[in-house]
Amino acid sequence: MTLAPTIETQRLRLRAHRIDDFDAYADVFSSDRASYMGQLQRRQAWFSFCSDVAQWQLFGHGAWAVDRLEDGKFIGQVALLKPDHFPELELGWMLTSEAEGHGFAAEAAMAARDYAYVEMGRDTLVSYIDPKNTRSIALAERLGAVRDDTALRPDGESLAQTVVYRHPTIDVLQDGGMEAYA
């Protein structure tokens, strides 16, 4: 069985999900915070949670729970996902409301992105974002991603529904470092 590896950053621990993460996960997806990702009732959130976790065993990538190191509190999720309806591997993120505004999403996303490039040997990575989700777009751009209007979208979604941000390759990151994108 393949489990999510544990990754520690300066302030965070990315780890395999545990069942006790589900309540907070379901709360995020049933709240207004999920309006750009698709709000889910608890039962739908359960299927999404299980899919995110199962992708580790099925594909060797999936979702990590994100905990703050200082207190071990679950604050969200970062993921490398490619369900059947995604044309490419996606880097995605979501945080609880209390975790926003501290740079945690960027820190977790950089760790997941670096894992995809270095450990998985991937050469490309995208984020699928609702065009009205200005906060996620700003984060993608902060990570050095650029809009790619020629990329395929999930299930043929239109540009009005989903914009694609392509993340810088490992070569670009190694040549310029993240300082070039901060």
Side-chain angles (χ1 to χ4, degrees), residues 25 27-40 48 77 86 90 92-96 100 128-130 133 136 157 161:
Y25 179 99
D27 288 347
V28 169
F29 274 97
S30 68
S31 73
D32 289 341
R33 299 183 54 66
S35 61
Y36 298 119
M37 299 180 291
Q39 288 177 298
L40 303 174
S48 178
Q77 172 177 290
F86 281 14
E90 184 206 26
W93 49 80
M94 67 99 169
L95 293 177
T96 60
E100 262 193 23
Y128 300 116
I129 304 174
D130 184 306
N133 189 345
S136 275
E157 292 175 4
Q161 297 168 300

Side-chain angles (χ1 to χ4, degrees), residues 117 143-144 167-181:
Y117 288 146
L143 295 171
H167 291 272
T169 64
I170 190 70
D171 299 353
V172 170
L173 293 171
Q174 288 173 340
D175 288 345
M178 275 313 295
E179 297 79 12
Y181 303 102

Side-chain angles (χ1 to χ4, degrees), residues 4-168:
T6 300
I7 300 171
E8 287 194 5
T9 67
Q10 183 178 355
R11 302 176 298 157
L12 305 173
R13 177 177 295 114
L14 283 59
R15 60 161 175 82
H17 271 292
R18 299 185 299 252
I19 191 61
D20 57 336
D21 300 330
F22 177 66
D23 285 335
Y25 179 99
D27 288 347
V28 169
F29 274 97
S30 68
S31 73
D32 289 341
R33 299 183 54 66
S35 61
Y36 298 119
M37 299 180 291
Q39 288 177 298
L40 303 174
Q41 298 296 323
R42 187 173 176 87
R43 183 177 185 163
Q44 297 166 311
W46 173 252
F47 295 127
S48 178
F49 181 80
C50 289
S51 172
D52 291 352
V53 171
Q55 286 192 47
W56 281 108
Q57 181 159 356
L58 297 171
F59 306 117
H61 57 73
W64 284 275
V66 179
D67 292 340
R68 280 190 307 240
L69 283 176
E70 71 180 44
D71 60 6
K73 182 169 177 66
F74 172 82
I75 60 166
Q77 172 177 290
V78 66
L80 298 169
L81 300 175
K82 190 182 178 309
D84 186 59
H85 63 285
F86 281 14
E88 296 188 60
L89 185 65
E90 184 206 26
L91 170 60
W93 49 80
M94 67 99 169
L95 293 177
T96 60
S97 59
E98 69 203 45
E100 262 193 23
H102 303 282
F104 294 138
E107 190 172 328
M110 282 186 239
R113 182 202 58 210
D114 293 351
Y115 181 86
Y117 288 146
V118 175
E119 302 300 325
M120 294 173 58
R122 300 303 291 232
D123 59 1
T124 190
L125 195 59
V126 299
S127 290
Y128 300 116
I129 304 174
D130 184 306
K132 295 180 287 299
N133 189 345
T134 57
R135 293 184 72 147
S136 275
I137 288 170
L139 176 55
E141 290 174 348
R142 183 173 167 208
L143 295 171
V146 295
R147 188 167 162 162
D148 182 354
D149 288 343
T150 65
L152 296 175
R153 287 158 184 74
D155 278 346
E157 292 175 4
S158 72
L159 189 58
Q161 297 168 300
T162 304
V163 290
V164 179
Y165 275 79
R166 189 162 304 280
H167 291 272

